[in-house]
Amino acid sequence: MTGADFKDHFSGIADAYAQARPEYPDALFDAIADVVPRSAHVWEPGCGSGQATRGLAARFAHVHATEPSAKQLAQHWAQPGTDKVSLAVEPGERTTLPDASVQLVAVAQALHWFDRPTFFAQCERVLSPGGVLAAWGYGDFIAPEGMVEAVAAFRSRIEPYWPPERAQVDAHYAGYEWPFPALPAPSLWLEMEWRLPQFLRYLSSMSAVARCAADTGEDPVARHAPALAAAWGDADEARTIQWPLFLHLRRKA
């Protein structure tokens, strides 16, 4: 897969994605740091606008963050690069990194977009012996108390517009033919305290929302916002939003 033919679902909403996506918990990066030395050099393919890069850079020596979408990478918080983070427009299936040059490959909410056999071959090439492949993602959020019906109606509207890869996230990457043996990994949760405007911005950052709006000419978030707002209550009151977070850890021999 080249940079020209990757499945680009997010360039058109790069600004919204960068501003609206939740932050990963410290527990996730701590679990990775338990099996990877702090001196590690990291490759982070599919980095998007850098939701995971910050946590990786806080724990490891250097992060080479790559992303096939130039528009997404332009929103990265480390743009145009720092002492601890280098950035490059590259697909996950190809990197300019030398052989055996990193001790960690970290993939946040992106592995389902890759051509996995080609990507796993790159992991085999760039990981040094004993290096770790860490891949994680999060499914749909848990509807807050009192919002189940309003959220269900919104989800029903956008359901036909999810790309097929979404099912792999819902399945927590079950059935993948991984290249390396598994390490124990904890069950985790992603949790944010958001007010209503932030919650609606998050909904607007979904690729299915953009596809629905393009197909129907109607913004599904705007259509369902009144019902969601009524179920939320006071728009200035923070509510807890939770997502189940899964993590795969694999060590190269």
Side-chain angles (χ1 to χ4, degrees), residues 197-219:
Q198 179 66 41
F199 176 68
L200 295 178
R201 283 195 293 271
Y202 167 71
L203 299 183
S204 294
S205 75
M206 294 178 173
S207 62
V209 166
R211 296 175 75 185
C212 178
D215 183 56
T216 65
E218 179 184 56
D219 180 352

Side-chain angles (χ1 to χ4, degrees), residues 35-37 40-41 102-105 123 126-134 180-181 183 249-253:
V35 297
V36 178
H41 284 233
V102 301
Q103 293 73 52
L104 172 64
V105 177
C123 293
V126 302
L127 276 171
S128 60
V132 171
L133 166 62
F180 314 123
L183 297 171
L249 297 171
R250 302 270 165 168
R251 189 185 297 280
K252 178 181 175 181

Side-chain angles (χ1 to χ4, degrees), residues 95-233:
T95 177
T96 56
L97 288 170
D99 294 356
S101 59
V102 301
Q103 293 73 52
L104 172 64
V105 177
V107 192
Q109 194 77 351
L111 183 53
H112 49 288
W113 300 121
F114 298 169
D115 178 270
R116 285 188 301 283
T118 306
F119 169 67
F120 287 155
Q122 284 289 288
C123 293
E124 177 71 46
R125 183 182 70 79
V126 302
L127 276 171
S128 60
V132 171
L133 166 62
W136 66 91
Y138 55 93
D140 216 343
F141 64 92
I142 307 300
E145 183 179 357
M147 297 190 68
V148 173
E149 291 185 6
V151 168
F154 167 75
R155 285 175 171 158
S156 178
R157 179 61 174 161
I158 67 171
E159 182 64 30
Y161 296 96
W162 284 114
E165 290 84 358
R166 170 76 181 196
Q168 299 175 31
V169 178
D170 293 338
H172 295 189
Y173 296 165
Y176 279 13
E177 295 184 6
W178 298 92
F180 314 123
L183 297 171
S187 297
L188 300 163
W189 285 88
L190 196 162
E191 184 173 294
M192 300 296 294
E193 294 291 322
W194 278 348
R195 293 176 174 82
L196 178 61
Q198 179 66 41
F199 176 68
L200 295 178
R201 283 195 293 271
Y202 167 71
L203 299 183
S204 294
S205 75
M206 294 178 173
S207 62
V209 166
R211 296 175 75 185
C212 178
D215 183 56
T216 65
E218 179 184 56
D219 180 352
V221 176
R223 175 178 177 175
H224 289 268
L228 291 165
W232 185 281

